Amino acid sequence: MRINVYLWTVLFSSLTFIFSLKILDWFSFMKLSPIGWAKKWHIFSDSHGLVKWFILWVFVVIIAAVLFAIAELLKKVRMDIVAIFLAIVIVWLIEWSVQHTFYIRHFSIPLAVVIGLHLLWIFETATYHAKMRNLESRNKLPQSV
């Protein structure tokens, strides 16, 4: 069951994250483009937009899988504070890579909310299932008839 939960959580979280990024891009809630990495790094810059979104999705799946595995190990930590802190750091790094300055002029709050919600989803699911696995593996009293 562990691999089943792991797989479905990572896939659906990454899919909804990409969908949320598309909505933020479509309604212009953030200044940067989620697929702007193709122009910046000169990789797949001539490809169709769907190819760029697919590559971004694969990258997000890998990151979500790593975060899920790390969160299972940290089951004693409050994940809401970790998710908020990590979301702020990730958005700051994204804005820093776009603006190339230490002082961030535009901090995208909608992007931070989307990242924070998806991080919380991944972290809380991982810690919940890690705690449940510990409860199932404890010594239990023998069945009394």
Side-chain angles (χ1 to χ4, degrees), residues 12-84:
F12 277 109
S13 175
S14 62
L15 246 158
T16 57
F17 181 72
I18 293 296
F19 183 68
S20 300
L21 283 181
K22 183 61 179 168
I23 289 173
L24 289 178
D25 185 40
W26 193 28
F27 288 113
S28 301
F29 283 127
M30 57 184 182
K31 302 282 184 203
L32 58 111
S33 172
I35 56 173
W37 55 269
K39 288 180 187 173
K40 182 178 178 181
W41 295 339
H42 305 293
I43 302 172
F44 299 105
S45 57
D46 296 335
S47 299
H48 192 269
L50 289 176
V51 173
K52 296 174 191 175
W53 281 102
F54 179 75
I55 293 170
L56 181 64
W57 176 70
V58 169
F59 184 65
V60 169
V61 165
I62 293 168
I63 290 174
V66 169
L67 288 174
F68 191 95
I70 291 171
E72 277 190 328
L73 300 173
L74 302 172
K75 59 184 168 228
K76 302 254 185 208
V77 180
R78 285 195 55 184
M79 288 299 158
D80 53 350
I81 295 172
V82 173
I84 291 170

Side-chain angles (χ1 to χ4, degrees), residues 4 17 41 80 108-109 128 130:
N4 197 10
F17 181 72
W41 295 339
D80 53 350
S108 178
I109 300 222
Y128 173 78

Side-chain angles (χ1 to χ4, degrees), residues 1 27 30 36 56 79-80 90 95 113 122 129 132 141 144:
M1 178 171 120
F27 288 113
M30 57 184 182
L56 181 64
M79 288 299 158
D80 53 350
I90 290 171
E95 296 289 342
V113 168
I122 292 169
H129 286 287
M132 287 299 113
L141 293 174
S144 59

